[in-house]
């Protein structure tokens, strides 16, 4: 499933569920604990990086030097 950056941001802020995704063969997971704690990790062995703001997480250059915000339309989301 594809999501726009705004859709992804709103879904993460809703705190409904973890967000699984794949980008160029890399599996990732966003775990929204609350509006001040988001964990971004890449499976299977990454313990994750904690962010205190959804925009900070979306703009972190964790995908080969690019951010989720930059490549959002290329990402396949499972949830």
């Amino acid at each position: 499933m594809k999501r726009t950056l705004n859709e992804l941001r709103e879904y993460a802020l809703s705190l409904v569920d973890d967000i699984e995704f794949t980008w160029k063969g890399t599996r990732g997971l966003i775990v929204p604990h609350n509006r001040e704690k988001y964990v971004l990790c890449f499976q299977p062995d990454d313990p994750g990086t904690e962010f205190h703001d959804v925009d900070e997480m979306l703009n972190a250059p964790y995908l080969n030097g690019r951010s989720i915000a930059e490549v959002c339309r290329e990402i396949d989301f499972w949830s």
Side-chain angles (χ1 to χ4, degrees):
M1 153 189 333
K2 299 291 184 183
R3 292 184 188 270
T4 66
L5 180 58
N6 190 54
E7 289 170 339
L8 175 59
R9 185 180 186 281
E10 291 302 314
Y11 191 67
L13 285 169
S14 74
L15 308 175
V16 172
D17 203 355
D18 295 351
I19 303 167
E20 296 180 75
F21 66 90
T22 303
W23 179 74
K24 295 189 175 185
T26 300
R27 292 182 61 191
L29 180 67
I30 298 169
V31 183
H33 291 273
N34 57 55
R35 289 191 177 228
E36 295 178 359
K37 181 179 178 184
Y38 299 86
V39 176
L40 173 62
C41 58
F42 299 96
Q43 300 172 350
D45 299 324
D46 181 18
T49 301
E50 185 175 318
F51 297 91
H52 300 285
D53 178 86
V54 69
D55 293 312
E56 176 188 20
M57 179 200 58
L58 293 173
N59 289 292
Y62 274 77
L63 297 168
N64 293 335
R66 297 175 72 192
S67 68
I68 291 174
E70 291 176 285
V71 299
C72 190
R73 292 198 178 264
E74 300 170 23
I75 295 173
D76 292 313
F77 294 96
W78 303 348
S79 54

